Amino acid sequence: MTIRTLVLSGGGGRGAFHAGVFKYLSQLEKPGVSGDHQGAWVPDIVIGTSIGAVNGAAIVQGISAEGLEQFWLSLRERDVQGLPPSMGWVARKVANLILKPAIGTGLPVVPPEIAMSGAASDSWPPLPVLPAWLSTRLIGRWSNLLDTGPLHKNLTDRLKLDEVKIAASEKMLIISATNVLTGEGVVFSNRLPTGITLRRIIASCSIPMVYPWTRDTDGELYWDGAVVANTPLGPALDAVRNRPMEEEMEVVIVMMTPWWESGGAAMRHLQAPQDFGEAMTWTLDWALLASFRRDLKMARMYNRQAQAALARGETPEHRYVRDVIVAPEEFMPVNRIIDYDEVGSRNLIQLGQAAAEKAFKAAFAG
């Protein structure tokens, strides 16, 4: 028996790429792929970080590939985020002056009744450039540029996520977050008593300073899981530690960053970043890949040990894990993390489908 695991990395508005990959995985016919990998590739376990937690929860609950695609095509910036209600009118003007060139639109203030931001009294004080009373009035008190209240609302209104259905799913879901006070990575699972809640899915998406940290029901504060591990391969391996080691694992790892094996031919043709925008994109993406490179190196080392043990007729100490990395061929602009529109999402869906097809043909040639 082969354990199938799907790992979905974070990337905000880049998450439409996941929908394209899922569309390919759900295809019944996959030309150029071996017979044992025809039909829909259905995961037993889904691991998600940030927007990967959102898409992963939908997949575990049972959304179709078409349903996930249509959700992404209909998604707009205002469905995900807005300005925090405690932001002053001058700060709102400045924020939208910055946002319009980056995402093509300004954003409204999120209504207080659905806002995820903390109260103004608990937020950071205004910059000390004006008297406190005037600064509070013009700039406001806030600790994050944007608020995720619309996303929280649309997880149920439009994506139809249901905590009860996620808990009852035959598929295991694991999502990651980062404890704000300790810096430790944490995981939540629908197989643990604490379970998966909508608030914990939002916690996994809480990009530091861009979005508010999320206070869980236990009082802990959480930031985006990508702060510690954007592509958490480790939890995928831990999830099956009690299964027989003779069972192999097949892990489809979906990343939002170009992937080249170290020393590969493609890397030698790269040019250095050509402007500040590219430099920012590369810096972010390389930082997000750091922990995954370490985990992948360790998993492949364990593979060699497992293969040696099996060749000797022994029960391996570590499970053999076949990794299939699905990644874009080009960098996605950093502003795409908070940018949501039909044209951009459609392009990312097509890129994801093509990348998955290329990866499967390479891994499971027919």
Side-chain angles (χ1 to χ4, degrees):
M1 178 178 178
T2 300
I3 306 166
R4 289 181 169 180
T5 300
L6 178 63
V7 179
L8 303 173
S9 64
R14 300 170 172 182
F17 187 83
H18 292 161
V21 174
F22 186 49
K23 186 175 182 179
Y24 175 80
L25 296 180
S26 300
Q27 288 179 201
L28 297 180
E29 295 183 5
K30 297 180 173 66
V33 173
S34 61
D36 59 340
H37 279 82
Q38 291 296 324
W41 190 94
V42 179
D44 305 298
I45 303 168
V46 180
I47 318 283
T49 296
S50 198
I51 200 64
V54 173
N55 288 331
I59 291 170
V60 164
Q61 186 172 305
I63 196 171
S64 66
E66 181 182 4
L68 189 60
E69 179 181 22
Q70 290 306 312
F71 170 74
W72 272 96
L73 291 176
S74 69
L75 208 56
R76 301 294 179 269
E77 290 86 357
R78 296 183 182 203
D79 301 322
V80 175
Q81 61 218 352
L83 302 180
S86 59
M87 183 178 279
W89 72 270
V90 170
R92 294 198 298 269
K93 292 287 187 182
V94 173
N96 274 324
L97 282 174
I98 296 171
L99 288 169
K100 283 182 180 178
I103 64 175
T105 184
L107 293 173
V109 175
V110 174
E113 61 269 21
I114 69 167
M116 298 294 289
S117 301
S121 58
D122 297 328
S123 299
W124 300 333
L127 296 174
V129 294
L130 296 170
W133 68 270
L134 184 58
S135 191
T136 298
R137 184 178 182 85
L138 299 180
I139 300 174
R141 292 189 61 157
W142 39 279
S143 305
N144 41 276
L145 177 63
L146 302 174
D147 186 281
T148 47
L151 175 61
H152 187 267
K153 184 175 185 295
N154 282 307
L155 290 182
T156 52
D157 289 0
R158 298 176 62 179
L159 196 54
K160 307 300 182 184
L161 292 187
D162 185 315
E163 295 172 1
V164 175
K165 291 181 179 179
I166 292 172
S169 174
E170 294 181 356
K171 298 181 177 63
M172 180 186 294
L173 173 65
I174 298 172
I175 64 174
S176 64
T178 303
N179 188 300
V180 174
L181 301 183
T182 67
E184 295 176 294
V186 298
V187 295
F188 303 109
S189 172
N190 64 343
R191 291 293 181 267
L192 296 175
T194 51
I196 301 286
T197 64
L198 295 182
R199 182 167 285 270
R200 287 175 173 170
I201 293 172
I202 292 293
S204 185
C205 300
S206 300
I207 304 171
M209 294 176 285
V210 176
Y211 299 136
W213 52 55
T214 301
R215 186 179 296 275
D216 198 13
T217 52
D218 61 5
E220 295 287 351
L221 301 177
Y222 294 111
W223 266 334
D224 195 321
V227 173
V228 175
N230 192 47
T231 311
L233 184 57
L237 306 181
D238 291 340
V240 293
R241 63 172 57 186
N242 294 325
R243 300 274 292 265
M245 286 298 172
E246 291 84 358
E247 293 181 355
E248 294 186 359
M249 176 181 276
E250 206 167 82
V251 184
V252 174
I253 303 158
V254 187
M255 301 192 301
M256 311 291 194
T257 301
W259 173 260
W260 301 287
E261 297 288 346
S262 296
M267 293 189 70
R268 293 194 290 271
H269 295 290
L270 286 177
Q271 291 184 337
Q274 301 299 300
D275 54 43
F276 284 111
E278 284 193 6
M280 288 177 61
T281 299
W282 286 41
T283 300
L284 174 64
D285 284 352
W286 290 157
L288 292 176
L289 270 181
S291 62
F292 172 70
R293 291 185 188 279
R294 180 196 63 226
D295 290 347
L296 183 63
K297 183 176 181 180
M298 183 172 295
R300 288 177 173 176
M301 178 187 71
Y302 288 156
N303 279 352
R304 292 191 290 272
Q305 295 177 4
Q307 287 176 315
L310 290 170
R312 295 192 298 269
E314 302 171 357
T315 299
E317 184 177 350
H318 301 287
R319 187 181 316 280
Y320 182 82
V321 178
R322 184 167 192 174
D323 60 86
V324 181
I325 299 176
V326 180
E329 295 185 353
E330 303 290 340
F331 286 94
M332 302 180 192
V334 68
N335 65 297
R336 187 67 207 176
I337 291 175
I338 58 171
D339 193 6
Y340 297 79
D341 61 80
E342 181 179 358
V343 174
S345 292
R346 189 179 298 279
N347 180 53
L348 288 174
I349 289 168
Q350 292 171 351
L351 289 175
Q353 189 173 8
E357 180 179 12
K358 179 180 179 181
F360 261 59
K361 285 181 176 179
F364 312 114

